[in-house]
Amino acid sequence: QVQLVESGGGLVQAGGSLRLSCVASGRTFSMYAMGWFRQAPGKERELVAAITWSTGNTYYIDSVKGRFTISRDNAKNTVYLQMNSLKSEDTAAYYCAAARGGYYTKYGAYDYWGQGTQVTVSS
């Protein structure tokens, strides 16, 4: 089992920045990739960004490219999501997830989930 705990959400004005953190514990050696998902009310959960633990390969959805940056600190078992130039449409609950294998750009690859942290962007 892998436990994930997110932090860093909050209320920010449009154009502002936030940094989300996700600390992993437990059987972290089994993790292949980490992802940040978000879910807005009435919408499906979507993968925003992902990163592989060993090589640091990254993936972003088009709507956040150039604004969000995912990174990891292997020594701290922590993944970050730096979010800049935030827009009202970025408002959502953000979830950290871990994948043991598979296609890390796909929702189905993720086995473990955090409890989520709310990001609200006011316009």
Side-chain angles (χ1 to χ4, degrees):
Q1 287 286 347
V2 174
Q3 293 78 42
L4 304 171
V5 179
E6 305 102 330
S7 62
L11 174 64
V12 64
Q13 289 188 333
S17 298
L18 282 174
R19 189 177 80 156
L20 306 183
S21 299
C22 173
V23 179
S25 60
R27 298 173 63 88
T28 57
F29 60 86
S30 67
M31 295 188 300
Y32 165 66
M34 299 290 291
W36 283 100
F37 290 75
R38 67 185 179 188
Q39 187 168 21
K43 295 188 176 182
E44 293 186 352
R45 190 171 296 189
E46 64 175 352
L47 177 61
V48 175
I51 188 168
T52 57
W53 273 114
S54 60
T55 62
N57 290 340
T58 58
Y59 164 84
Y60 299 93
I61 56 171
D62 287 345
S63 60
V64 306
K65 285 180 180 177
R67 299 189 299 123
F68 290 12
T69 302
I70 189 170
S71 61
R72 89 271 194 232
D73 185 331
N74 294 52
K76 295 182 179 180
N77 287 330
T78 300
V79 175
Y80 305 97
L81 185 67
Q82 178 67 44
M83 305 185 293
N84 299 328
S85 303
L86 282 161
K87 306 175 181 179
S88 57
E89 51 263 44
D90 295 318
T91 295
Y94 282 72
Y95 299 88
C96 174
R100 291 177 294 177
Y103 294 102
Y104 73 104
T105 62
K106 302 298 182 183
Y107 181 96
Y110 290 85
D111 306 289
Y112 305 105
W113 294 84
Q115 81 287 353
T117 185
Q118 179 66 36
V119 171
T120 302
V121 183
S122 63
S123 57

